[in-house]
Amino acid sequence: MKTTNTFGIRFFIKNNLIKDGEAPIYSRITVDGTRVDISLKRKINVHDWNPVLGSAKGSKESSKSLNHYLKELESRIIQIYQEFQIKKNPISADAIKHELLGTETKEHTISMLFEYHNEKYRNVLAWGTLKNYFTTQKYVMAFAKSQYGKDDFFLQDINYRFLNEFELYLINYEPQDHHKRLSNNGIMKHLERFRKVINLALRMEWMVKDPFAKFSLRYQKVEREYLTPAELKQIEKKKFDIPRLSYIRDLFVFACYTGLSYIDTVNLKNHDVIIGIDEEYWISISRQKTQQKSNVPLLPQALDIIRKYMDPDRAYAKGKIFPLISNQKLNAYLKEISIICNIKKNMTFHLARHTFATTVTLLNGVPIETVSKMLGHASLKTTQVYAKVVEQKVSNDMKELRRKLGNSK
């Protein structure tokens, strides 16, 4: 584990700038392979310079005076480096140069970038999405502390090696609480969010090189679970004696027949239900996550649930159709429902969205373009993850083909 930097100082003359037999003297500071040159505003006759020792030759007074100056300057640079180490400041050759010259550094750090991003998008991104950026920031900062012994890190020092080591850090990360270890796709999500904030830094011209230019994200294909028609009917028909479970079941079934996410469901307002072009009831909203427009014709099952909760003494009086419940509690209660209904699947609210995309729509022959529009996806490619071949659909299609071929024969 790396906790120190490689650090070096040397003095040299620039032979390509010789004039009248004299060359300017420079100091070169190197940190972790990155170097900066500083003009000392002094010149020396090239014959009086020792390039091996990086100092003036001879015992004359001018040589002694110059060497004394170089020694003091070297001590000052070392002192700055050590002060950065003690204060746990991000260390770079440029930072040392700015401290030495007393100039204002224009370098930006990881924490500055995340803070700027999170403030900039605070009213744009959904809270759940923004919270994920906070988590990614926490992992990046913990990595910088663990791997480099730094409380922060200069953006210009982020390179392919940094990203590769960060990925390994996430792979080997052992959670201290009840959470599971990060999956491959969970790690890729953190790297994807980090890449987005790095792209912001590039647009702001806080970075020159893109460290992600040669870095590839490697997602593993995951089969999306969904409820079969039989499982969905089983949940619909189940009678619950506990009111909270009955309510959670209604919310879940509503999402199965509309494809709405958790946040769009609990934020659904009475004026979001409109009369569509077919004179039937529709839901018309802008998805909170993507701000994409989503227009969904209301199926009878979903409309019945809306009517059930249009109670002026409850949430409907405040403009929202459904009483608010946190996503965490909702998913915890769904686990109870899955046990009661003997459904051996990971019952989360997002499973309802998968069920709408597959069992309710695609399985029943609704074109994927239509499904994509109702889900509020910006790209058809996003919808295609739901369009796995469903065996029942294959069976139905082949039955129809047999019928046609039989008639033809």
Side-chain angles (χ1 to χ4, degrees):
M1 182 180 296
K2 180 179 176 182
T3 57
T4 59
N5 305 88
T6 58
F7 171 64
I9 310 166
R10 82 178 185 91
F11 300 104
F12 66 100
I13 60 173
K14 286 198 174 182
N15 291 314
N16 61 327
L17 297 178
I18 295 174
K19 186 177 181 180
D20 298 330
E22 292 187 329
I25 305 172
Y26 279 76
S27 168
R28 174 167 292 168
I29 302 170
T30 305
V31 176
D32 291 338
T34 301
R35 68 192 190 189
V36 295
D37 294 341
I38 305 172
S39 172
L40 303 189
K41 309 299 182 184
R42 296 193 180 205
K43 293 181 179 181
I44 189 171
N45 189 290
V46 293
H47 298 296
D48 293 333
W49 181 257
N50 186 330
V52 177
L53 298 178
S55 61
K57 297 177 183 177
S59 58
K60 56 184 178 181
E61 194 61 36
S62 60
S63 294
K64 288 181 179 180
S65 175
L66 176 60
N67 287 338
H68 178 72
Y69 168 74
L70 296 179
K71 202 68 179 175
E72 285 192 336
L73 182 60
E74 182 181 35
S75 297
R76 174 58 183 148
I77 294 172
I78 293 172
Q79 180 186 9
I80 292 171
Y81 173 76
Q82 292 173 337
E83 287 174 354
F84 277 22
Q85 282 187 315
I86 293 170
K87 295 177 182 178
K88 298 190 182 301
N89 289 342
I91 302 175
S92 74
D94 268 320
I96 294 174
K97 173 185 174 180
H98 285 299
E99 182 69 20
L100 178 68
L101 300 179
T103 56
E104 182 182 357
T105 176
K106 294 183 179 180
E107 295 195 66
H108 296 79
T109 64
I110 292 175
S111 63
M112 291 167 62
L113 174 60
F114 268 101
E115 287 167 11
Y116 178 81
H117 170 275
N118 296 339
E119 179 61 27
K120 178 179 175 65
Y121 292 99
R122 184 167 56 89
N123 296 320
V124 176
L125 298 175
W127 167 244
T129 303
L130 193 60
K131 191 166 64 172
N132 290 334
Y133 279 95
F134 292 144
T135 304
T136 298
Q137 179 183 1
K138 181 190 74 173
Y139 278 122
V140 175
M141 302 312 295
F143 161 70
K145 180 72 173 177
S146 170
Q147 190 74 4
Y148 296 95
K150 298 180 179 181
D151 292 325
D152 210 343
F153 207 87
F154 284 120
L155 296 181
Q156 70 169 21
D157 292 337
I158 298 174
N159 52 23
Y160 179 89
R161 178 182 174 183
F162 181 96
L163 299 177
N164 192 52
E165 290 177 345
F166 178 46
E167 181 184 2
L168 290 174
Y169 173 82
L170 294 177
I171 291 171
N172 297 315
Y173 182 76
E174 292 279 358
Q176 300 301 312
D177 49 25
H178 63 281
H179 291 99
K180 297 179 182 178
R181 293 185 61 152
L182 289 167
S183 65
N184 174 81
N185 288 1
I187 292 169
M188 292 303 113
K189 278 292 184 183
H190 284 299
L191 286 165
E192 183 179 332
R193 282 188 286 271
F194 192 31
R195 183 172 64 181
K196 286 181 178 178
V197 296
I198 290 295
N199 285 338
L200 175 62
L202 290 167
R203 293 195 299 272
M204 297 293 295
E205 298 183 353
W206 292 351
M207 299 179 71
V208 177
K209 294 182 179 179
D210 180 6
F212 278 94
K214 296 181 180 179
F215 191 91
S216 299
L217 300 182
R218 302 175 302 280
Y219 281 101
Q220 294 175 350
K221 290 186 177 180
V222 178
E223 293 293 331
R224 302 260 179 171
E225 279 194 321
Y226 55 87
L227 295 182
T228 64
E231 290 169 334
L232 178 55
K233 286 298 178 187
Q234 184 180 355
I235 291 177
E236 286 184 76
K237 293 179 179 179
K238 182 67 179 178
K239 301 293 183 183
F240 292 99
D241 297 328
I242 304 174
R244 62 175 170 81
L245 293 184
S246 180
Y247 170 56
I248 298 306
R249 184 272 311 279
D250 289 344
L251 277 184
F252 182 81
V253 170
F254 176 80
C256 285
Y257 284 103
T258 61
L260 296 190
S261 65
Y262 156 77
I263 194 66
D264 291 328
T265 298
V266 296
N267 283 338
L268 193 65
K269 299 178 177 61
N270 52 348
H271 59 71
D272 294 328
V273 180
I274 64 170
I275 300 296
I277 58 173
D278 54 2
E279 299 299 318
E280 299 286 350
Y281 286 107
W282 288 50
I283 289 176
S284 180
I285 62 169
S286 291
R287 289 201 63 210
Q288 183 160 331
K289 180 178 180 180
T290 63
Q291 298 305 307
Q292 289 291 320
K293 193 70 175 177
S294 176
N295 295 311
V296 185
L298 276 171
L299 296 170
Q301 295 88 337
L303 187 56
D304 288 343
I305 292 173
I306 283 181
R307 286 173 174 151
K308 178 178 178 180
Y309 288 89
M310 279 187 172
D311 183 348
D313 295 328
R314 294 163 46 125
Y316 186 69
K318 298 178 181 179
K320 293 186 179 180
I321 294 174
F322 299 111
L324 182 63
I325 183 171
S326 72
N327 196 23
Q328 186 177 9
K329 282 187 177 180
L330 194 158
N331 285 326
Y333 295 153
L334 281 174
K335 296 290 187 293
E336 290 185 51
I337 291 175
S338 67
I339 293 171
I340 293 171
C341 295
N342 196 30
I343 293 177
K344 308 296 184 183
K345 289 178 179 175
N346 183 26
M347 285 271 289
T348 64
F349 199 79
H350 206 62
L351 184 69
R353 190 164 165 84
H354 299 174
T355 301
F356 174 78
T358 52
T359 302
V360 174
T361 55
L362 292 172
L363 185 59
N364 287 306
V366 178
I368 190 170
E369 294 82 4
T370 304
V371 176
S372 182
K373 188 73 175 175
M374 290 190 291
L375 289 173
H377 286 163
S379 169
L380 187 63
K381 185 178 179 180
T382 308
T383 317
Q384 286 171 343
V385 299
Y386 296 101
K388 302 296 182 184
V389 177
V390 182
E391 289 184 0
Q392 185 59 52
K393 183 69 167 63
V394 173
S395 175
N396 293 342
D397 290 344
M398 292 305 292
K399 282 180 182 178
E400 180 63 19
L401 179 58
R402 290 191 194 97
R403 185 187 65 77
K404 289 180 179 179
L405 293 176
N407 291 342
S408 175
K409 181 178 178 181

